[in-house]
Amino acid sequence: MASAPSQQDISEVRQQGWPWWPLLPLYPYGQRATLIRERIPGKIWTFEQLHGVWYVAVPIRMTVVKVAEGLMLYAPVAPTPEVVGALRSLEEQHGPICTIVLPTASGLEHKVPVPAMARAFPTATVWLSDCQWSFPLRLPSSWLGFPLGRTKVLGRDGYPHPEQLKWVALGPLDLGLGHFLEVACLDQATGSLLVTDALVSFTDTPPEVFSLDPTPLLFHARERGSEPLLDTAEQRIKGWKRILLFANFFRPASVHVPEWGSIRQDLWSPGNRQARAHFGLYPFRWSEDWDEQANHLMTRCDGNTVFTLAPVLERLVLVRAREQFVAWLNKLADLDGVKQLIGAHYDGPQSIQSKNLATYAVAVENQNWAPSEGSWQTLAAIDQTLLKWKLVPEGERIRE
């Protein structure tokens, strides 16, 4: 018989509870462990959680910035009791949470936590990127949980803390169902460039947040569902590289789904008769060259950039907006004093300089943009289906 949970276990569950997970039912659902790190003493902190679909989990990151009036939250994560408690401790030392920023119009994983975070800090001003949208019904912002009377729109109502922070918008780009808009922010006090989805960085080393929950890595490191979840450094790296392929391409060329009979043989195999292992269900088979394809993906972050545009955004979101993306990169490159990049996903922070952004802008102009071959085929098929059903415009339209 399993032993009863200890008081420490019960307390941990309560501290990591996230009751609003059904609004966006992503792993790890109602339990969100958080990795909290002070990145620049007294000035920059990050709060990292995991989120994903079927163990294809990647980090999601909130950045806390010290400003003159107190603290600003950029791209909030789920405000569990653990997160709110840590923020209360920061308030005691550095002043109140005065600003909450939602820097994207379309990222649901960033949008869903904002109303709860705003309720936790009722004196903070909430700043939203413009062109917020909902589907299938277009609802006003207040109906989506953003508080009346203290919600402002980035750009339309100015920008928060302009004496310290520089803001640069990518978009709005018309996607048909809604708009893509992301607003980057440079903290001039530390040289920290904050972005949401448009720039990411990854290596073959699993991000530190997986130390709180390595299950996704171990799950995808296997060849069949009958294999147990073995926790070794090699398995963690293997699982992470496969997660990168899934997260960036949905269905990479190096994986296929076998016949049901082969999958069924692994169900309820010894050692896997538990929900954590999905009872032996693992409907994927990897080809011998999968590692080579993963390494090729990571070369996008090699050399003079250390960051890239995620393939899924390149092929599905910015597929017809290369010029706008390059223009945004050049605007970021013109900012003085860039020292590090902190994205809302994958690895971070990364040490960079303005010249890295300029170099990447040139590379984007000259690269084979949004291809349709190899691992890109599934993304290309989705794009063509959206075009066929006229759900997205044939050319990105910029809203004046």
Side-chain angles (χ1 to χ4, degrees), residues 47-365:
F47 287 59
E48 299 179 26
Q49 300 173 349
L50 289 176
H51 81 131
V53 177
W54 205 8
Y55 283 147
V56 179
V58 300
I60 181 170
R61 179 180 298 107
M62 173 178 73
T63 303
V64 182
V65 181
K66 178 71 177 80
V67 293
E69 296 85 349
L71 298 167
M72 180 188 78
L73 311 183
Y74 181 92
V77 294
T80 63
E82 179 183 25
V83 168
V84 173
L87 291 174
R88 300 282 188 215
S89 296
L90 289 180
E91 284 188 309
E92 293 176 1
Q93 303 176 57
H94 304 286
I97 305 295
C98 58
T99 307
I100 299 172
V101 178
L102 173 61
T104 175
S106 54
L108 287 177
E109 72 274 26
H110 305 293
K111 187 180 302 189
V112 168
V114 172
M117 188 70 81
R119 290 191 297 272
F121 300 97
T123 62
T125 300
V126 177
W127 287 82
L128 312 177
S129 64
D130 205 355
C131 302
Q132 295 294 321
W133 56 283
S134 59
F135 180 84
L137 299 176
R138 300 298 174 92
L139 301 174
S141 293
S142 59
W143 287 29
L144 298 176
F146 303 120
L148 283 171
R150 56 187 178 103
T151 297
K152 297 184 177 182
V153 178
L154 293 168
R156 193 194 310 170
D157 298 323
Y159 292 99
H161 317 291
E163 69 288 343
Q164 177 179 337
L165 309 175
K166 297 296 184 182
W167 301 85
V168 183
L170 171 57
L173 306 175
D174 184 7
L175 302 180
L177 294 175
H179 288 81
F180 175 86
L181 174 61
E182 175 175 328
V183 187
C185 170
L186 174 66
D187 174 32
Q188 297 178 101
T190 64
S192 301
L193 179 61
L194 314 183
V195 298
T196 314
D197 300 316
L199 293 176
V200 297
S201 181
F202 36 69
T203 68
D204 61 2
T205 301
E208 186 183 3
V209 68
F210 280 104
S211 64
L212 303 179
D213 178 16
T215 304
L217 306 177
L218 312 182
F219 184 84
H220 285 291
R222 301 175 301 164
E223 304 303 325
R224 299 182 64 103
S226 58
E227 297 178 13
L229 304 184
L230 297 179
D231 191 359
T232 67
E234 293 76 13
Q235 288 292 89
R236 290 192 179 201
I237 292 173
K238 184 178 179 181
W240 172 237
K241 293 168 79 170
R242 288 179 172 181
I243 286 174
L244 283 177
L245 289 172
F246 272 130
N248 282 278
F249 297 115
F250 294 170
R251 186 171 181 176
S254 53
V255 73
H256 73 277
V257 178
E259 295 182 355
W260 170 244
S262 177
I263 299 171
R264 185 176 55 192
Q265 291 177 1
D266 296 333
L267 296 179
W268 292 95
S269 53
N272 288 315
R273 296 166 185 171
Q274 53 181 310
R276 181 171 180 253
H278 289 181
F279 303 101
L281 178 63
Y282 188 73
F284 308 113
R285 298 292 184 269
W286 293 88
S287 61
E288 293 183 356
D289 65 344
W290 75 266
D291 193 42
E292 178 182 345
Q293 293 186 26
N295 291 334
H296 180 70
L297 170 63
M298 286 181 288
T299 61
R300 294 170 65 95
C301 297
D302 283 350
N304 295 320
T305 55
V306 307
F307 54 81
T308 187
L309 174 66
V312 64
L313 260 73
E314 179 178 330
R315 196 60 187 81
L316 292 181
V317 178
L318 303 180
V319 56
R320 287 166 284 277
R322 171 156 53 174
E323 291 183 5
Q324 291 83 0
F325 181 57
V326 169
W328 180 70
L329 288 171
N330 284 322
K331 289 180 181 179
L332 296 180
D334 288 339
L335 297 172
D336 292 330
V338 175
K339 296 179 181 179
Q340 67 173 352
L341 175 72
I342 306 179
H345 295 289
Y346 297 104
D347 288 342
Q350 296 288 342
S351 296
I352 69 165
Q353 299 177 358
S354 297
K355 65 181 182 181
N356 301 124
L357 294 156
T359 298
Y360 183 51
V362 173
V364 169
E365 287 185 298

